[in-house]
Amino acid sequence: MEVDEVATVTSGESGENNGKVESDEDENIFGSSRASVPPTNEIPSKKTKLEDSSDVLSSIKNAVVVLTRLPEYKISALRPPTPQQFYSEDESLSSSDSDTQWKPEGHSSDSDCPLSNYKRKTGKPRTPAAQTSRNNNNVSELAPVIVSSAFSHYSNETTKIRPDLPEEEVKVDMMVLAKKKSLKWQRGKILEIVTREDGRLKYKVSFEERGKSLVSGHHIAFDTPAKLEQLYVGARVVVSCQDNKSQFQPGILAELPTRKNRSRFLVFLDDHMPVYVGLPSLHLVCRPLENVLDDMPHSTHKSFMRKYLKDWPYPHLTQYSVGQSLNAELHGVQQRCEVLVIDSSLMQVAFQGTPQKEWIHRGSIRLEHMARFLELTQMEEDECDSD
C-alpha cells in the first residue's frame, strides 16, 4: 500500500528487522497493526520523488487542542449581568440603579478647589467593594461620589401626586394637632369654626396643655394616624418629637416605604432635620396649601426641598464610607466630622472636638460637597436658561 510506504519513509523512523520495515506512526494514525513492507529498490526512488514534489503532503500532523485559562476580568465580562440588589446599611445606594454620578477631582474631602475643577461623570456608582478595598488609613481622605439614582421601580413607591380621595370632615369637638408655635404643634380640641368675610375658615383650638389659638386649616392635622393610600411624596405631615411625645413638628414626606429604606417613611422636618418613622407616627395636615412649600419660612431648607421634590424620584445623594471624614455645617459653620453609621438615605456623623452626633441626609445642603454640587448645577441650569 503506497500510502503506508510514504508515511513510513517520511516519518524518518524506518528500520530493518528480519527484512521488515516497522512504523509505529502508521499504527497510531490509521488504526492498523504494524505493516511489514519488504525492502525493494523502488522505495528510495519514491522517496526522492515525494521530497521533490510540492503537491504531495510531506508529513502527517496530529491535531492538538490547547486549553488556556482566561484571566478573571475576562471571565467576569462574559458572565450575564445579575439583577440589581438593594443597598445595604453599610453602603446605602452603591448598588442601586444609577443615572449620573459626580465626583470632585482630587482626594481631599475638604478641598478648596474652585467649582470649575469639579466634573460630572456618567456611569455606574462605585461599588462597596471598591469603596472598602482601599487602605483604612486613606478612607478619611476619599472624596465622595454623588449619584442621582432611581429611588424605586414601582410607581406606588415614587408617586408625588396627591391621591384623588374625598376630604375628611373637620368638625367641632374634634381632637386635632394644631400649630402653637413656629415648629411646635400640640394636641387640642376644636371649639369653634369661624368663617371670615372672604370665605376662609378658621378653627378655634383649645390645647390640652393650656392655651387657645385661632388657626387656619393648613395649621391643624388629624389626630388619628394617616392611612397608607393617603400618602405621597411631598405630603404635608406632622410627626411626634423624639424627645417629647406630647409635642409635634411639621414636615414634608420625602420617601415612601420600600425595601431600600426597610419599609419606613422619611420626613424632612421644617428645621431640615431628617427622620425615619413608621406609619403610626404620621399625621396628615387637614387642609394643606396647594403648594406645601408656601407654608415654610424662606430659608435654604425651603430651596433644598423645592429642588428635592423637583428631582424626585432621582434624588442626589453622596456616597460616603463609615470612618470617612468630611465637612458639614454645624451652627452655621462648616466643621470636620466623621461618618459613624450609614442608614439608607441618612448617615450619622460625630463632629470633632464636640460630643455632638447628628443624623444628616446624604443629599443635605449641610454637606460641603453637596452644597458645591448644587451650586454648580444651578449655574449650569441658569446658563441653559439664558441660552
Side-chain angles (χ1 to χ4, degrees):
M1 181 176 179
E2 289 189 0
V3 176
D4 290 343
E5 293 173 357
V6 172
T8 302
V9 175
T10 57
S11 66
E13 297 178 355
S14 61
E16 292 186 4
N17 184 13
N18 295 329
K20 296 181 181 181
V21 178
E22 295 182 349
S23 173
D24 293 334
E25 190 173 357
D26 289 343
E27 181 179 2
N28 294 334
I29 296 175
F30 296 100
S32 61
S33 60
R34 291 187 176 182
S36 298
V37 182
T40 63
N41 295 330
E42 297 179 358
I43 293 177
S45 62
K46 289 184 179 181
K47 176 181 178 182
T48 302
K49 292 179 181 180
L50 289 172
E51 289 180 347
D52 294 339
S53 175
S54 60
D55 298 332
V56 181
L57 183 64
S58 61
S59 63
I60 298 177
K61 300 180 179 179
N62 291 327
V64 179
V65 178
V66 179
L67 299 178
T68 304
R69 181 175 180 81
L70 293 175
E72 184 63 29
Y73 73 92
K74 288 188 177 181
I75 296 176
S76 300
L78 294 175
R79 291 188 182 126
T82 57
Q84 292 289 343
Q85 302 297 319
F86 293 96
Y87 53 73
S88 64
E89 181 174 345
D90 292 333
E91 190 56 53
S92 300
L93 271 183
S94 61
S95 60
S96 61
D97 297 331
S98 176
D99 299 318
T100 304
Q101 65 173 341
W102 174 90
K103 180 181 180 182
E105 292 183 341
H107 301 286
S108 176
S109 61
D110 60 346
S111 172
D112 293 326
C113 297
L115 290 174
S116 60
N117 289 340
Y118 289 79
K119 298 183 179 180
R120 297 183 71 179
K121 300 181 180 181
T122 58
K124 285 288 182 182
R126 187 172 297 173
T127 61
Q131 295 274 7
T132 57
S133 62
R134 297 178 181 268
N135 191 297
N136 290 334
N137 295 331
N138 297 330
V139 68
S140 62
E141 299 302 323
L142 294 176
V145 174
I146 296 179
V147 296
S148 175
S149 305
F151 181 77
S152 178
H153 299 288
Y154 305 100
S155 59
N156 64 325
E157 296 174 349
T158 61
T159 179
K160 59 179 180 180
I161 300 175
R162 184 178 180 180
D164 187 14
L165 298 173
E167 287 186 339
E168 292 189 37
E169 184 181 3
V170 178
K171 54 188 178 181
V172 175
D173 292 334
M174 181 177 179
M175 294 299 296
V176 294
L177 307 176
K179 178 180 178 181
K180 192 170 185 180
K181 296 181 180 179
S182 179
L183 295 177
K184 300 294 183 182
W185 292 41
Q186 291 184 0
R187 182 174 281 105
K189 179 188 292 187
I190 297 179
L191 300 178
E192 184 183 356
I193 300 178
V194 180
T195 303
R196 291 289 179 88
E197 294 179 357
D198 56 5
R200 291 183 301 164
L201 297 179
K202 292 286 186 174
Y203 303 87
K204 189 174 183 179
V205 177
S206 175
F207 295 101
E208 288 183 339
E209 297 183 2
R210 294 184 304 178
K212 297 178 182 179
S213 181
L214 191 65
V215 297
S216 301
H218 58 277
H219 287 158
I220 57 174
F222 295 104
D223 185 46
T224 55
K227 299 176 182 178
L228 181 60
E229 59 269 20
Q230 297 175 311
L231 298 173
Y232 57 98
V233 172
R236 188 66 167 158
V237 295
V238 176
V239 298
S240 58
C241 297
Q242 295 180 348
D243 55 348
N244 188 344
K245 298 300 181 181
S246 65
Q247 293 187 347
F248 300 82
Q249 288 181 274
I252 293 179
L253 187 59
E255 286 180 12
L256 294 172
T258 69
R259 290 172 57 190
K260 286 185 174 183
N261 61 22
R262 294 196 288 259
S263 299
R264 294 171 296 174
F265 296 86
L266 176 64
V267 176
F268 276 110
L269 303 179
D270 282 3
D271 61 359
H272 194 64
M273 180 69 67
V275 290
Y276 273 119
V277 298
L279 186 60
S281 299
L282 285 176
H283 302 267
L284 274 174
V285 168
C286 296
R287 300 292 184 259
L289 298 176
E290 184 174 351
N291 183 0
V292 295
L293 299 180
D294 291 341
D295 194 27
M296 300 173 60
H298 291 283
S299 62
T300 53
H301 174 61
K302 184 175 183 177
S303 301
F304 167 80
M305 288 308 307
R306 181 181 293 108
K307 181 165 181 57
Y308 181 93
L309 295 176
K310 178 183 176 182
D311 293 338
W312 182 262
Y314 302 95
H316 298 297
L317 293 172
T318 51
Q319 285 186 315
Y320 291 99
S321 301
V322 173
Q324 185 171 350
S325 295
L326 60 133
N327 284 347
E329 183 269 330
L330 179 65
H331 305 311
V333 180
Q334 289 289 330
Q335 297 191 28
R336 201 70 170 166
C337 61
E338 180 181 331
V339 179
L340 300 179
V341 182
I342 295 177
D343 179 11
S344 301
S345 299
L346 306 183
M347 62 181 181
Q348 188 184 44
V349 300
F351 288 91
Q352 295 181 2
T354 69
Q356 189 162 351
K357 299 178 182 179
E358 284 193 31
W359 286 97
I360 299 179
H361 188 260
R362 294 195 292 119
S364 172
I365 52 177
R366 293 179 60 188
L367 304 175
E368 182 183 47
H369 287 108
M370 181 57 69
R372 293 185 180 185
F373 168 74
L374 294 177
E375 183 180 351
L376 177 63
T377 54
Q378 186 62 49
M379 291 169 57
E380 292 177 351
E381 291 176 3
D382 293 343
E383 291 177 359
C384 292
D385 293 339
S386 62
D387 293 340

